[in-house]
Amino acid sequence: MAGLKRRVPMHSLRYFISMVGLFSKSGLLPWLADVVTPLWRLSYEEQLKPVINGYRNKSTFSVNRGPDGNPKTVGYYLGTWRDGNIVCVRSNNLKNIPEKHSQVAQGMDYWWWHGWIEAGRPIEGSCAAVIQYYEVFLRQSPLEPCLVFHEGGYWRELIVRTNSQGHTMAIITFHPQKLSQEELHVQKETVKEFFIRGPGAACDLTSLYFQESTMTRCSHQQSPYQLLFGEPYIFEELLSLKIRISPDAFFQINTAGAEMLYRTVGELTGVNSDTILLDICCGTGVIGLSLAQHTSQVLGIELVEQAVEDARWTAAFNGITNSEFHTGRAEKILPGLLKSKEDGQSVVAVVNPARAGLHYKVIQAIRNCRAIRTLVFVSCKLHGESTRNVIELCCPPDPAKKLLGEPFVLQQAVPVDLFPHTPHCELVLLFTR
């Protein structure tokens, strides 16, 4: 009879469970342990061992002259522009770059590729036995690389993004110069063919993007990322959230380290069900969304439109209904957003700016909002502009500088090492007033 619940005798239920093996060591217990205690198979020493090699989930490879003088070399720079001794060196032995990134940029036999090239388009000059995939593509292309903008050239950077499941997004930056749309289409089809059916297919890319850029750095709004094939996004699992990541969105380059960083931020905020969490420079919104269940509301501000779209998607997918994200410059959005927060409700602010630090108007808005009693500042480069930010947050009221609110006091500083093999770390600063 439809719609009626049927009672199952307890002895039958026990029999059923025992039959599927829940009470046996060889049944469902390992599966349950993998879910509840996922590190149970590892010794405690292994559980505590940090991931220090191959931790980057994003790598940017430049194109320039190599040690042998070939202008179509893919890698990283040595030397300085001031001294005029810049050279581009392959990244084969860098410990922080994962194998998957290196595979996109390197790792194929020259003669295999040579046999794939159609007649009349050989790679000129000698090649090592193992050379970079993108580098190989460039060396067979009739178009020159763009080394210096005013000197012409076309092929520029390669960006590779991966997630913990090994899905891989590649983004090729290209200076269009004066090529027609038909000529640009030919180049897009050529690189697409290389990575779908040519030697580059070994990279097993999840998606390939192409961006026509006439500047050193160009946002999606300035020049859209064009999807040549594959999925438009990659996804990551972090702090029990499924997170969507667009090609232009900021996401901490060390995923495991980011989880530790965000947990540290969450502990320092001290938010509760009466708190409004203000997430400034929020990127894909992970900090705010990971704390949403503990707050009354999350308000995020981010310049990159794609990242805001990712944050909204992540909130909707994970069933988070008390979040709100705004696109634009924080110095323009924040003052108006804070005007309605002077009614006695507690506001905790988290700021995670780029290396340039916070705009002065953002500091003014934070200082002059009496509702903000707690501020957590995440800095990847404390010296320089961030030092200026700290001084402005903590200095006495200064009407001449429109810093009218009560000063903050630095209470705690917690370093989180997201960049093994380098002298850099993220520093989380707790301010109260």
Side-chain angles (χ1 to χ4, degrees):
M1 295 172 61
L4 294 180
K5 295 181 180 179
R6 182 180 178 186
R7 300 187 62 180
V8 180
M10 184 56 66
H11 66 83
S12 300
L13 183 60
R14 288 198 185 102
Y15 175 75
F16 171 75
I17 293 175
S18 64
M19 288 297 290
V20 298
L22 186 59
F23 295 151
S24 69
K25 293 182 179 180
S26 60
L28 297 178
L29 280 180
W31 296 353
L32 182 63
D34 286 340
V35 173
V36 179
T37 54
L39 302 182
W40 72 278
R41 299 176 188 272
L42 304 177
S43 69
Y44 193 54
E45 290 73 18
E46 289 177 296
Q47 293 179 39
L48 295 177
K49 186 177 179 181
V51 177
I52 63 173
N53 292 331
Y55 58 83
R56 292 190 67 97
N57 55 44
K58 179 182 178 182
S59 299
T60 301
F61 301 93
S62 299
V63 178
N64 215 298
R65 290 183 175 84
D68 61 355
N70 194 313
K72 293 182 175 181
T73 302
V74 179
Y76 288 89
Y77 288 148
L78 288 178
T80 63
W81 294 105
R82 180 188 60 201
D83 298 330
N85 59 354
I86 285 288
V87 64
C88 193
V89 180
R90 293 173 186 161
S91 57
N92 307 49
N93 299 314
L94 292 181
K95 290 186 176 181
N96 61 344
I97 296 181
E99 183 179 346
K100 186 67 176 181
H101 292 203
S102 298
Q103 183 190 27
V104 177
Q106 67 196 17
M108 63 160 295
D109 185 85
Y110 166 67
W111 297 109
W112 174 33
W113 164 239
H114 193 277
W116 185 82
I117 301 174
E118 61 187 16
R121 297 172 63 193
I123 300 175
E124 297 181 1
S126 60
C127 272
V130 177
I131 54 180
Q132 301 180 338
Y133 279 108
Y134 184 52
E135 183 177 288
V136 171
F137 173 79
L138 296 187
R139 293 189 178 188
Q140 63 84 34
S141 172
L143 299 185
E144 293 301 314
C146 179
L147 308 184
V148 182
F149 279 26
H150 68 268
E151 293 181 359
Y154 303 89
W155 299 107
R156 295 187 54 231
E157 292 179 340
L158 169 70
I159 300 173
V160 183
R161 304 189 77 151
T162 51
N163 63 7
S164 55
Q165 289 78 44
H167 301 155
T168 306
M169 174 188 292
I171 306 165
I172 292 174
T173 310
F174 184 90
H175 196 307
Q177 301 296 350
K178 296 181 180 180
L179 293 182
S180 66
Q181 287 302 312
E182 291 76 12
E183 291 169 321
L184 282 169
H185 178 73
V186 170
Q187 298 307 316
K188 295 174 195 175
E189 288 299 310
T190 302
V191 71
K192 177 180 174 181
E193 180 73 12
F194 175 84
F195 280 104
I196 290 181
R197 281 176 283 276
C203 299
D204 191 26
L205 295 182
T206 307
S207 58
L208 177 64
Y209 276 95
F210 187 93
Q211 186 190 41
E212 301 165 25
S213 174
T214 59
M215 298 180 286
T216 304
R217 285 288 184 272
C218 201
S219 69
H220 176 72
Q221 285 76 21
Q222 293 166 318
S223 181
Y225 289 87
Q226 303 169 44
L227 182 63
L228 298 188
F229 72 82
E231 301 296 324
Y233 315 103
I234 56 176
F235 298 87
E236 190 55 88
E237 301 284 342
L238 190 70
L239 296 173
S240 301
L241 298 173
K242 182 173 182 178
I243 302 159
R244 193 181 83 173
I245 305 172
S246 296
D248 201 27
F250 171 78
F251 189 77
Q252 290 286 356
I253 59 100
N254 184 336
T255 304
E259 185 158 305
M260 177 70 71
L261 174 68
Y262 297 152
R263 288 188 188 279
T264 301
V265 171
E267 291 169 2
L268 293 181
T269 60
V271 295
N272 56 50
S273 58
D274 296 322
T275 304
I276 293 177
L277 179 64
L278 186 60
D279 192 355
I280 305 171
C281 310
C282 67
T284 52
V286 181
I287 293 178
L289 293 175
S290 67
L291 296 172
Q293 61 179 322
H294 306 295
T295 67
S296 65
Q297 187 180 23
V298 172
L299 300 174
I301 302 174
E302 169 60 36
L303 176 62
V304 179
E305 185 177 348
Q306 279 192 316
V308 170
E309 292 173 357
D310 290 338
R312 290 169 179 164
W313 182 94
T314 298
F317 182 86
N318 292 279
I320 299 172
T321 59
N322 63 337
S323 64
E324 184 180 302
F325 293 94
H326 301 263
T327 306
R329 295 189 177 278
E331 60 268 24
K332 293 184 178 180
I333 295 175
L334 188 59
L337 198 61
L338 291 178
K339 283 182 180 179
S340 62
K341 307 306 175 187
E342 298 287 347
D343 55 1
Q345 189 169 17
S346 174
V347 179
V348 172
V350 175
V351 295
N352 186 13
R355 293 181 181 180
L358 290 174
H359 192 280
Y360 185 65
K361 290 184 178 179
V362 176
I363 297 292
Q364 285 180 335
I366 293 173
R367 274 289 300 258
N368 299 338
C369 179
R370 290 172 300 186
I372 299 179
R373 311 303 298 175
T374 300
L375 170 67
V376 178
F377 193 119
V378 183
S379 175
C380 61
K381 184 183 178 183
L382 188 60
H383 58 283
E385 291 303 303
S386 291
T387 300
R388 174 183 62 79
N389 290 160
V390 172
I391 294 172
E392 292 164 348
L393 287 167
C394 299
C395 70
D398 187 343
K401 295 183 178 180
K402 298 181 180 180
L403 297 175
L404 307 178
E406 182 184 351
F408 285 90
V409 176
L410 178 60
Q411 300 288 357
Q412 196 171 350
V414 182
V416 181
D417 188 6
L418 262 66
F419 318 103
H421 307 298
T422 81
H424 307 291
C425 76
E426 296 277 342
L427 190 62
V428 186
L429 305 173
L430 171 63
F431 298 89
T432 62
R433 60 178 177 177

